[in-house]
Amino acid sequence: MSTCAIVGINWGDEGKGRMVDYLAGVYDVIVRYQGGNNAGHTVMNEYGKFALNLLPSGIFHKDKINLLGAGTVVDLKHLVEEIGRVRSQGVEISPDNLKISDRAIIVFPFYPLLDEMEEERLAGEKYGSTKRGIGPVYGDKYMKKAIQMGDLLRPKSLEKHLHTLIDWKNASLTGIYAHEPISRESIDEWLDSYAKPLKPYIADAGEVLKNAVKQGKSILFEAQLGALRDIQYGIYPFSSSSSPLAAYAPVGCGLPSLKVDNVVGVVKAYSTCVGEGPFVGELTDETGDWIRTAGGEYGAATGRPRRVAWLDIVATKYGVELQGADELALTKLDVLSGLEKIPVCVGYKLNGETVTSFPYTPDLYDCEPVYVTLNGWDEDLTGVRSFDALPKAAREYVLFCEEKLACPIKYVSVGPDREQLIIR
Ligand code: GDP
């Protein structure tokens, strides 16, 4: 039995989906351990192109178990529709290859509504939420007001919790936001449509994982977002509401006694960030537009244009350390082809000094990037399959990053397809 976590090192959208899709083939169980449908992996394979928001990326391998762990939050409607979309492209999904932890939390329709109204109330001070209800539902989880998936199989418990929850949510909706209350009937209708089809998938995740361990099965933990979005160590409050760190994987999966044997950190060859918050060295000029277009940098879940910057070693090294990465995958190196020079941010100027450790979040607004400029290359990398076949400048770029990040770059990705990967 071996376990591996594939995690984001930066602000998310590093290309974790393609790495999980690639590695899912060699693991037996693939687990999402945090977050909800607020982020998306893009996966391209023989079935087509998919934006997966909730489904673990192992869903394309029908002999694998895909698990939504206890640390996740599940919008039932979104999951039912996502299953439908993926199935319609010929992928088999059944309770044999998909399981949802009974301890995962339900995202009811009032959570996205509250999320949206709070962003509106904040106006100029908004967090840049994806408005999928993730902040409000995790808030309720920790206030012990939310409802776990297992209640869908226990009508008495559901009734008791739902009654209290709706009363309380209506107090916020009407009191804080002057919104009309939600009706119990509308929630019952929603549950009728979207809870019923998911009931067969609800399972005790701990038991699923214990059995897998007993049978010597290998387990892959799949994170969404990246280290800098961690609720505790990220750019709070422009963070997510859960922990995308590898250290959280055992807790969030459903079997806290598991150990993570290997942590693969995914880093993009340049930086992108969605939403609000400090982003040192943001390129707001035509170079930024060029990279955004070349890299197709638009959110998989929301379609929002991503903010763009050069690779930031200060932030990335912090991410590598937070994740405890054993090895790295550097993705989208192909996107940088055609640039004469490629700056890399190796430090921040803060209050007249150069710093190389990641500052406390509000101090980031006062940081200016310090660059080292490397040579670019013209060649198309998308067909390259070995490190030695890369142009010299591209090799030097990888080696420079590896040295600065003090972590081996084992994978270099040169395109979205499963086989467009260089393994060193
Ligand atoms: P994730 O959330 O970390 O999985 O990242 P996203 O899926 O949101 O963003 C990655 C995007 O880049 C997807 O559209 C991928 O298909 C694509 N992608 C991943 N790796 C590469 C690569 O090496 N080169 C190129 N050109 N595209 C890639």
Side-chain angles (χ1 to χ4, degrees):
M1 202 270 299
S2 72
T3 63
C4 171
I6 300 193
V7 293
I9 293 294
N10 301 110
W11 297 265
D13 308 315
E14 296 94 347
K16 293 175 294 297
R18 64 103 62 243
M19 288 309 299
V20 185
D21 181 61
Y22 173 76
L23 288 169
V26 289
Y27 285 83
D28 305 307
V29 184
I30 295 92
V31 192
R32 284 272 315 265
Y33 61 88
Q34 46 82 221
N37 59 320
N38 49 324
H41 289 316
T42 313
V43 175
M44 280 169 76
N45 55 33
E46 68 269 29
Y47 293 102
K49 183 172 177 177
F50 300 86
L52 299 181
N53 299 137
L54 276 167
L55 289 171
S57 307
I59 202 70
F60 305 103
H61 303 261
K62 68 167 182 264
D63 52 336
K64 314 280 174 196
I65 294 176
N66 292 274
L67 178 65
L68 287 172
T72 62
V73 293
V74 183
D75 182 324
L76 309 183
K77 176 173 191 278
H78 193 99
L79 183 56
V80 167
E81 290 174 354
E82 189 170 318
I83 290 173
R85 271 199 305 278
V86 174
R87 262 197 195 132
S88 74
Q89 287 180 252
V91 181
E92 279 179 45
I93 302 179
S94 77
D96 290 334
N97 70 344
L98 176 67
K99 303 196 184 284
I100 309 167
S101 167
D102 54 5
R103 290 173 191 269
I105 298 283
I106 302 171
V107 183
F108 284 97
F110 41 79
Y111 288 117
L113 180 63
L114 285 162
D115 205 351
E116 186 173 342
M117 281 187 305
E118 180 58 11
E119 284 285 276
E120 263 171 38
R121 192 188 68 82
L122 288 168
E125 302 288 308
K126 67 181 172 137
Y127 295 146
S129 164
T130 53
K131 300 181 188 161
R132 301 282 172 104
I134 307 300
V137 76
Y138 272 110
D140 277 12
K141 170 176 172 172
Y142 289 101
M143 285 184 81
K144 296 162 289 181
K145 304 272 192 192
I147 300 181
Q148 297 181 321
M149 289 294 294
D151 271 25
L152 298 178
L153 305 178
R154 294 165 183 83
K156 250 201 296 182
S157 179
L158 178 65
E159 177 55 38
K160 189 170 135 215
H161 285 131
L162 199 52
H163 174 72
T164 333
L165 180 60
I166 292 178
D167 267 2
W168 187 53
K169 291 291 105 171
N170 276 340
S172 320
L173 279 168
T174 55
I176 304 175
Y177 303 106
H179 193 276
E180 63 197 52
I182 35 153
S183 70
R184 175 61 200 260
E185 295 71 47
S186 69
I187 297 300
D188 284 342
E189 272 170 36
W190 186 83
L191 284 170
D192 259 357
S193 306
Y194 305 112
K196 271 197 191 138
L198 292 177
K199 283 184 191 174
Y201 297 88
I202 300 171
D204 179 334
E207 285 300 315
V208 173
L209 291 166
K210 262 192 269 177
N211 282 334
V213 170
K214 249 191 236 153
Q215 292 166 27
K217 291 192 167 162
S218 54
I219 299 167
L220 188 64
F221 301 110
E222 172 181 5
Q224 47 140 243
L225 302 168
L228 298 169
R229 300 291 188 191
D230 181 71
I231 180 72
Q232 194 135 340
Y233 299 101
I235 50 168
Y236 187 88
F238 304 102
S239 51
S240 194
S241 307
S242 62
S243 177
L245 299 186
Y248 184 72
V251 174
C253 71
L255 190 57
S257 56
L258 277 175
K259 307 266 183 293
V260 183
D261 300 326
N262 186 38
V263 178
V264 179
V266 186
V267 178
K268 193 151 35 183
Y270 50 91
S271 303
T272 62
C273 166
V274 176
E276 310 297 319
F279 188 41
V280 179
E282 178 170 6
L283 296 169
T284 50
D285 56 3
E286 61 270 23
T287 309
D289 293 340
W290 186 91
I291 297 175
R292 185 177 303 106
T293 307
E297 297 298 349
Y298 298 88
T302 59
R304 287 191 287 184
R306 294 174 182 150
R307 299 157 75 193
V308 173
W310 298 115
L311 181 68
D312 180 336
I313 297 289
V314 181
T316 305
K317 183 123 195 278
Y318 178 63
V320 169
E321 288 165 0
L322 285 179
Q323 294 289 17
D326 296 301
E327 51 197 28
L328 297 175
L330 186 71
T331 60
K332 295 195 141 183
L333 191 65
D334 55 300
V335 172
L336 298 180
S337 290
L339 292 162
E340 201 183 322
K341 296 281 175 194
I342 307 180
V344 177
C345 171
V346 292
Y348 296 160
K349 266 259 179 292
L350 176 63
N351 302 326
E353 301 206 1
T354 302
V355 297
T356 52
S357 51
F358 195 66
Y360 182 66
T361 307
D363 295 341
L364 288 167
Y365 289 109
D366 300 321
C367 289
E368 289 296 326
V370 176
Y371 293 116
V372 164
T373 300
L374 305 186
N375 289 326
W377 58 90
D378 262 337
E379 294 87 334
D380 175 10
L381 307 186
T382 54
V384 178
R385 294 292 176 272
S386 79
F387 188 68
D388 292 342
L390 284 171
K392 181 165 173 277
R395 284 201 309 272
E396 283 172 356
Y397 188 79
V398 176
L399 295 174
F400 180 85
C401 298
E402 184 169 71
E403 193 218 313
K404 291 284 176 203
L405 297 173
C407 188
I409 295 178
K410 176 158 181 202
Y411 305 94
V412 179
S413 169
V414 291
D417 286 342
R418 209 178 259 175
E419 72 280 4
Q420 287 179 302
L421 195 64
I422 296 169
I423 300 162
R424 292 175 69 208

